[in-house]
Amino acid sequence: MFVRTYAGAVVGIDAVGVTVEVNIAGGGLGLFLVGLPDNAVKESEQRIRAAFGNSGERMSGRKVVVNLAPADLRKEGAAFDLPIAVGILAAMERVDAAALAGTMFAGELSLDGTVNPVRGVLPMAVCARKMGLRRLVLPAANAAEAAVVEGIEVIPVGSLSQTLAWLRGEEPIAPAQPGAPDPEEAAGRYAEDFADVRGQETVKRALEIAAAGGHNVLLIGAPGSGKTMLARRMPTILPPLSHEEALETTKIHSVAGMAGVAGGLMTRRPFRSPHHIASQVALVGGGQSPCPGEVSLAHNGVLFLDELPEFGRNALEVLRQPLEDKRIVVARAKYRVEYPANFMLVAAMNPCPCGNYNHPAKECTCSPGTVRRYMARVSEPLLDRIDLHVEVTPVAPAALSGMKPGESSAAVRERVVRARRIQSERFRDVPGVHANAMMNPALLHEYCRLDPAAATLLERAMERLALSARAYDRILKVARTIADLAGRADVAASDIAEAIGYRSLDRGSWGS
């Protein structure tokens, strides 16, 4: 007997519909899987046989051929266990084949018949809806994640026996509903707040500008000056995720097997902080089985790289493409995938090997050549792609006790959201651009026109600091954001002057 059902194969952060064709006929024994399955799919035979035996079923004694179409698309992972199993049982007439119509299945089978959670169910649910299917049957642990997709029923199951009972009409299962979001997340409350930071008003101002325009920022300062503390509070002043951003962000984490949030959709911007020993593949993604890297897991959020010069040179250089293009293309011999990577880079580093260069109270023991060699670990092309270079000066311990709490993250976020609204209105007719940091040269020319005083100031800075053309563009983008925060339609000379002040590492005197 011939039976057809449906599954989904994850490609990048999306899913492609897969038709599972099962045919049982004479002429041999055993289960034959075709359609470019990987090892995990090939091993499903043993899991399915054991699950059948422990669920009161048995494998057919005739030749069973399972084709996963399209045959030229590589099928990876254990999510094909459940659709293959129900397809075989329907072909054996243990389940009515009509019950499989309009339904996609996904799930990994344990030997005892339990249905285990799998990666990528959110893009599978989106794919099932696009295919015009009515239902998606999947592990109960994945139900809340998939239920956020409207227009398709999500049927949560815990075992193969329960799945078969539902297909036979013996056990009704109510469709899953999206879970309630975490109250703290829904209210926009964080455990960390800018109010915890005493002093450092200049740095907090720079981070506010970065958040308002989506700019990359580098914090340079001695150990203990507060760089990490400030960086970890960056998500608390960013605008809330829109529904579209939340859906795309959750899809990436779903594909990586890292979703698992209470309400299904992620409601907070991600904050990723990989260790400096992270490899190039860990940062950008890929591997033998393609998976999103840290730059994609930070999509719509913050990627924090502490101790920037300690990262491998190759690992840092691969960041140049996603910083420019807001996406990463991973090309290997057997596959090519594209992942979104629209993140804010927040990096931190010491100013020299001993950490005391420009320290107000401690003496630096490094020679000028040592300082320059240390700074050279971060290439100029990468530094050019970072809009703000901010020096973080330690606050004297004696002064900390007398300082009042700083401005709250909520108050800063209000100004950031106001500036982002201005930018959304400005770029409403420009596809793919919603923040000043994403402006191309044509948009810079249109929205960053300078009066004679501002133009003269920028020209002199370019000459004296020997700035690159890319740094010129960065200054204009940051100045545009400063003007937006102030509610000014035009970029003033004061905006240009402040933006130039955030290019510390472009000064030829650094390290001398």
Side-chain angles (χ1 to χ4, degrees), residues 202 206 218 220 351 357-358 368 371-372 375-376 380 383-384 386-393 460-468 471 475 496-512:
T202 301
L218 173 62
I220 315 137
Y357 182 76
N358 279 352
V371 176
R372 285 192 291 270
M375 301 303 292
E380 288 189 11
L383 287 176
D384 277 348
I386 299 177
D387 303 348
L388 296 96
H389 309 159
V390 186
E391 294 183 63
V392 184
T393 305
R460 290 178 178 173
M462 292 292 295
E463 293 174 1
R464 295 185 61 181
L465 301 178
L467 300 178
S468 67
I475 290 172
I496 293 292
E498 185 176 359
I500 293 171
Y502 296 128
R503 302 296 302 182
S504 299
L505 297 186
D506 290 327
R507 301 169 191 167
S509 61
W510 189 276
S512 53

Coordinates of all heavy atoms in Angstrom, one line a residue, residues 202 206 218 220 351 357-358 368 371-372 375-376 380 383-384 386-393 460-468 471 475 496-512:
T202 N 29.6 60.2 30.8 CA 30.0 60.3 29.4 C 29.8 59.0 28.7 O 29.3 58.9 27.5 CB 31.5 60.7 29.3 OG1 31.6 62.0 30.0 CG2 31.9 60.9 27.8
A206 N 27.2 57.9 25.6 CA 27.6 57.2 24.3 C 26.8 56.0 24.1 O 26.4 55.7 22.9 CB 29.1 56.9 24.4
L218 N 32.7 50.5 21.0 CA 33.9 49.9 21.6 C 34.2 50.7 22.9 O 34.4 51.9 22.8 CB 35.1 49.9 20.6 CG 36.4 49.5 21.2 CD1 36.4 48.0 21.6 CD2 37.5 49.6 20.1
I220 N 36.9 51.3 25.8 CA 38.3 51.1 26.1 C 38.6 51.7 27.5 O 38.4 52.8 27.7 CB 39.2 51.8 25.1 CG1 38.7 51.6 23.6 CG2 40.6 51.4 25.2 CD1 38.6 52.8 22.8
P351 N 43.3 49.3 27.3 CA 44.0 50.2 26.4 C 45.5 49.8 26.1 O 46.1 50.3 25.2 CB 44.0 51.5 27.2 CG 44.0 51.1 28.6 CD 43.1 49.9 28.7
Y357 N 47.2 52.3 30.7 CA 47.4 53.5 29.8 C 46.2 54.4 29.9 O 45.1 54.1 29.9 CB 47.5 53.0 28.3 CG 47.8 54.1 27.3 CD1 49.0 54.6 27.2 CD2 46.7 54.6 26.5 CE1 49.3 55.6 26.2 CE2 47.0 55.6 25.6 CZ 48.3 56.1 25.5 OH 48.5 57.1 24.5
N358 N 46.6 55.7 30.1 CA 45.6 56.8 30.3 C 44.9 56.6 31.7 O 43.8 57.3 31.9 CB 44.6 56.9 29.2 CG 45.1 57.6 28.0 OD1 46.2 58.2 28.0 ND2 44.3 57.6 26.9
P368 N 55.6 52.6 24.3 CA 54.8 53.0 23.2 C 54.6 51.9 22.1 O 53.5 51.7 21.6 CB 55.4 54.3 22.6 CG 56.2 54.8 23.8 CD 56.7 53.6 24.6
V371 N 52.2 49.2 23.3 CA 50.8 49.7 23.3 C 50.3 49.6 21.8 O 49.2 49.1 21.6 CB 50.7 51.1 23.8 CG1 49.2 51.6 23.7 CG2 51.1 51.2 25.3
R372 N 51.1 50.1 20.9 CA 50.7 50.1 19.5 C 50.5 48.6 19.0 O 49.6 48.3 18.2 CB 51.6 50.8 18.6 CG 51.5 52.4 18.8 CD 52.3 53.1 17.7 NE 53.7 53.0 17.9 CZ 54.5 53.8 18.6 NH1 53.9 54.8 19.2 NH2 55.8 53.6 18.7
M375 N 47.2 47.2 20.4 CA 46.1 47.8 19.7 C 45.9 47.3 18.3 O 44.8 47.1 17.7 CB 46.1 49.3 19.6 CG 46.2 50.0 21.0 SD 44.8 49.6 22.1 CE 43.5 50.4 21.2
A376 N 47.1 46.9 17.7 CA 47.1 46.4 16.3 C 46.5 45.0 16.2 O 46.2 44.5 15.1 CB 48.5 46.4 15.7
E380 N 42.4 47.7 11.5 CA 41.8 49.0 11.2 C 40.4 48.8 10.5 O 39.5 49.6 10.7 CB 42.7 49.9 10.4 CG 43.9 50.4 11.2 CD 44.7 51.5 10.5 OE1 44.2 51.9 9.4 OE2 45.8 51.8 11.0
L383 N 37.9 48.2 13.1 CA 37.7 49.4 13.9 C 36.8 50.5 13.1 O 36.0 51.2 13.7 CB 39.0 50.1 14.3 CG 39.8 49.3 15.4 CD1 41.1 50.0 15.7 CD2 39.0 49.3 16.7
D384 N 37.1 50.5 11.8 CA 36.3 51.5 11.0 C 34.8 51.1 11.0 O 34.0 52.0 10.8 CB 36.8 51.4 9.5 CG 38.0 52.3 9.3 OD1 38.3 53.1 10.2 OD2 38.7 52.2 8.3
I386 N 33.2 50.2 13.6 CA 32.6 50.5 14.9 C 32.5 52.0 15.0 O 33.4 52.7 14.9 CB 33.6 49.9 16.0 CG1 33.7 48.4 15.9 CG2 33.0 50.3 17.4 CD1 34.7 47.8 16.9
D387 N 31.2 52.4 15.2 CA 30.9 53.8 15.1 C 31.5 54.7 16.3 O 31.9 55.8 16.0 CB 29.4 54.0 15.1 CG 28.7 53.2 13.9 OD1 29.5 52.8 13.0 OD2 27.5 53.1 13.9
L388 N 31.4 54.1 17.5 CA 31.8 54.9 18.6 C 33.0 54.2 19.4 O 32.9 53.0 19.8 CB 30.7 55.1 19.6 CG 29.5 55.9 19.1 CD1 28.4 55.0 18.6 CD2 28.9 56.8 20.2
H389 N 34.1 54.9 19.6 CA 35.2 54.4 20.4 C 35.2 55.3 21.7 O 35.4 56.5 21.6 CB 36.5 54.6 19.7 CG 36.6 54.1 18.3 ND1 37.5 54.5 17.4 CD2 35.8 53.1 17.7 CE1 37.3 53.8 16.2 NE2 36.3 53.0 16.4
V390 N 34.9 54.7 22.8 CA 34.6 55.4 24.0 C 35.6 55.0 25.1 O 35.8 53.8 25.4 CB 33.2 55.2 24.5 CG1 32.9 56.1 25.7 CG2 32.2 55.4 23.4
E391 N 36.3 56.0 25.7 CA 37.3 55.7 26.7 C 36.5 55.7 28.1 O 35.7 56.6 28.4 CB 38.3 56.8 26.8 CG 39.3 56.8 25.6 CD 40.4 57.8 25.7 OE1 41.2 57.7 26.7 OE2 40.4 58.7 24.9
V392 N 36.7 54.6 28.9 CA 36.1 54.5 30.1 C 37.1 54.7 31.2 O 38.0 53.9 31.4 CB 35.4 53.1 30.3 CG1 34.7 52.9 31.6 CG2 34.5 52.8 29.1
T393 N 37.0 55.8 32.0 CA 37.9 56.1 33.0 C 37.4 55.6 34.4 O 36.2 55.8 34.7 CB 38.1 57.6 33.1 OG1 38.5 58.1 31.8 CG2 39.2 58.0 34.1
R460 N 38.3 69.5 8.7 CA 39.5 69.7 9.5 C 39.8 68.4 10.3 O 41.0 68.0 10.4 CB 39.4 70.9 10.4 CG 39.4 72.2 9.7 CD 39.2 73.4 10.7 NE 39.2 74.7 10.0 CZ 38.9 75.8 10.6 NH1 38.6 75.8 11.8 NH2 39.0 76.9 9.9
A461 N 38.8 67.8 10.9 CA 39.0 66.6 11.6 C 39.5 65.4 10.7 O 40.4 64.7 11.1 CB 37.7 66.2 12.3
M462 N 39.0 65.4 9.5 CA 39.5 64.3 8.6 C 40.9 64.5 8.3 O 41.7 63.5 8.2 CB 38.7 64.4 7.3 CG 37.2 64.0 7.4 SD 37.0 62.3 7.8 CE 37.6 61.5 6.3
E463 N 41.4 65.7 8.1 CA 42.8 66.0 7.8 C 43.7 65.7 9.0 O 44.7 65.1 8.9 CB 42.9 67.4 7.3 CG 42.3 67.7 6.0 CD 42.3 69.2 5.6 OE1 42.9 70.0 6.4 OE2 41.8 69.6 4.6
R464 N 43.3 66.3 10.2 CA 44.2 66.2 11.3 C 44.3 64.8 11.9 O 45.3 64.3 12.4 CB 43.7 67.1 12.4 CG 43.8 68.6 12.0 CD 43.5 69.5 13.2 NE 44.3 69.4 14.3 CZ 44.2 70.0 15.4 NH1 43.2 70.9 15.6 NH2 45.1 69.8 16.4
L465 N 43.2 64.0 11.9 CA 43.1 62.7 12.4 C 43.4 61.6 11.4 O 43.4 60.4 11.7 CB 41.8 62.4 13.1 CG 41.4 63.4 14.2 CD1 40.0 63.0 14.8 CD2 42.4 63.3 15.4
A466 N 43.5 62.0 10.1 CA 43.7 61.1 9.0 C 42.7 60.0 9.0 O 43.0 58.8 8.9 CB 45.1 60.5 9.1
L467 N 41.4 60.4 9.0 CA 40.3 59.4 9.1 C 40.1 58.8 7.7 O 40.3 59.5 6.7 CB 39.1 60.1 9.6 CG 39.1 60.8 11.0 CD1 37.8 61.5 11.3 CD2 39.5 59.7 12.0
S468 N 39.6 57.6 7.7 CA 39.2 56.9 6.5 C 37.8 57.4 6.0 O 37.1 58.1 6.7 CB 39.2 55.4 6.7 OG 38.1 55.1 7.5
A471 N 35.2 56.0 8.2 CA 35.1 56.7 9.4 C 34.3 58.0 9.2 O 33.5 58.5 10.1 CB 36.5 57.1 10.0
I475 N 30.9 59.0 11.3 CA 30.7 60.3 12.1 C 29.4 60.9 11.7 O 28.6 61.4 12.5 CB 31.9 61.2 11.8 CG1 33.2 60.7 12.5 CG2 31.6 62.6 12.3 CD1 34.4 61.5 12.1
I496 N 28.3 67.2 15.1 CA 29.5 66.7 14.5 C 30.7 66.7 15.5 O 31.5 65.7 15.5 CB 29.9 67.6 13.3 CG1 28.9 67.5 12.2 CG2 31.3 67.2 12.7 CD1 28.8 66.1 11.5
A497 N 30.8 67.7 16.3 CA 31.9 67.7 17.3 C 31.8 66.6 18.3 O 32.8 66.0 18.6 CB 31.9 69.1 18.0
E498 N 30.6 66.3 18.7 CA 30.4 65.2 19.7 C 30.7 63.9 19.0 O 31.4 63.0 19.6 CB 29.0 65.2 20.3 CG 28.8 64.2 21.4 CD 27.4 64.2 22.0 OE1 26.6 65.1 21.6 OE2 27.2 63.4 22.9
A499 N 30.3 63.7 17.8 CA 30.5 62.5 17.1 C 32.0 62.2 16.8 O 32.5 61.1 16.9 CB 29.8 62.5 15.7
I500 N 32.8 63.3 16.5 CA 34.2 63.2 16.3 C 34.9 62.8 17.6 O 35.8 62.0 17.6 CB 34.8 64.5 15.8 CG1 34.3 64.8 14.4 CG2 36.3 64.5 15.9 CD1 34.7 66.2 13.9
G501 N 34.4 63.2 18.8 CA 34.9 62.8 20.1 C 34.8 61.4 20.4 O 35.5 60.9 21.3
Y502 N 34.0 60.7 19.6 CA 33.8 59.2 19.8 C 34.6 58.4 18.9 O 34.3 57.3 18.6 CB 32.3 58.8 19.7 CG 31.4 59.4 20.8 CD1 30.3 60.1 20.4 CD2 31.7 59.3 22.1 CE1 29.5 60.7 21.3 CE2 30.9 59.9 23.1 CZ 29.8 60.6 22.7 OH 29.0 61.1 23.6
R503 N 35.7 59.0 18.3 CA 36.6 58.3 17.5 C 38.0 58.2 18.1 O 39.0 58.6 17.5 CB 36.7 58.9 16.1 CG 35.4 59.0 15.3 CD 34.8 57.7 15.0 NE 35.6 56.8 14.2 CZ 35.3 55.6 13.8 NH1 34.1 55.2 14.1 NH2 36.1 54.9 13.0
S504 N 38.1 57.8 19.3 CA 39.4 57.9 20.1 C 40.5 57.2 19.4 O 41.7 57.6 19.4 CB 39.2 57.3 21.5 OG 38.2 58.0 22.2
L505 N 40.3 56.0 18.9 CA 41.3 55.2 18.3 C 41.8 55.7 17.0 O 42.8 55.1 16.4 CB 40.9 53.7 18.2 CG 40.6 53.0 19.6 CD1 40.3 51.6 19.3 CD2 41.8 53.2 20.5
D506 N 41.1 56.7 16.4 CA 41.6 57.3 15.1 C 42.7 58.3 15.3 O 43.2 58.8 14.4 CB 40.4 57.9 14.4 CG 39.5 56.8 13.9 OD1 39.9 55.7 13.5 OD2 38.3 57.1 13.8
R507 N 42.9 58.7 16.6 CA 43.9 59.7 16.8 C 45.3 59.2 16.7 O 45.6 58.1 17.3 CB 43.7 60.3 18.3 CG 42.3 60.9 18.4 CD 42.0 61.2 19.9 NE 40.6 61.5 20.1 CZ 40.0 61.6 21.3 NH1 40.7 61.4 22.4 NH2 38.7 61.9 21.4
G508 N 46.1 59.9 16.0 CA 47.5 59.4 15.8 C 48.3 59.4 17.1 O 49.4 58.7 17.1
S509 N 47.9 60.1 18.1 CA 48.7 60.1 19.4 C 48.5 58.9 20.3 O 49.2 58.8 21.3 CB 48.3 61.4 20.1 OG 46.9 61.4 20.5
W510 N 47.6 58.0 19.9 CA 47.3 56.9 20.8 C 48.6 56.0 21.0 O 49.1 55.5 20.0 CB 46.1 56.1 20.3 CG 45.7 55.0 21.4 CD1 46.2 53.8 21.6 CD2 44.7 55.2 22.3 NE1 45.6 53.2 22.6 CE2 44.6 54.0 23.1 CE3 43.8 56.2 22.6 CZ2 43.7 53.8 24.1 CZ3 42.9 56.0 23.7 CH2 42.8 54.8 24.4
G511 N 49.0 55.8 22.2 CA 50.2 54.9 22.4 C 51.5 55.7 22.4 O 52.5 55.1 22.8
S512 N 51.5 56.9 22.1 CA 52.8 57.7 22.1 C 53.0 58.5 23.3 O 52.1 58.5 24.2 CB 52.8 58.6 20.9 OG 51.7 59.4 20.8

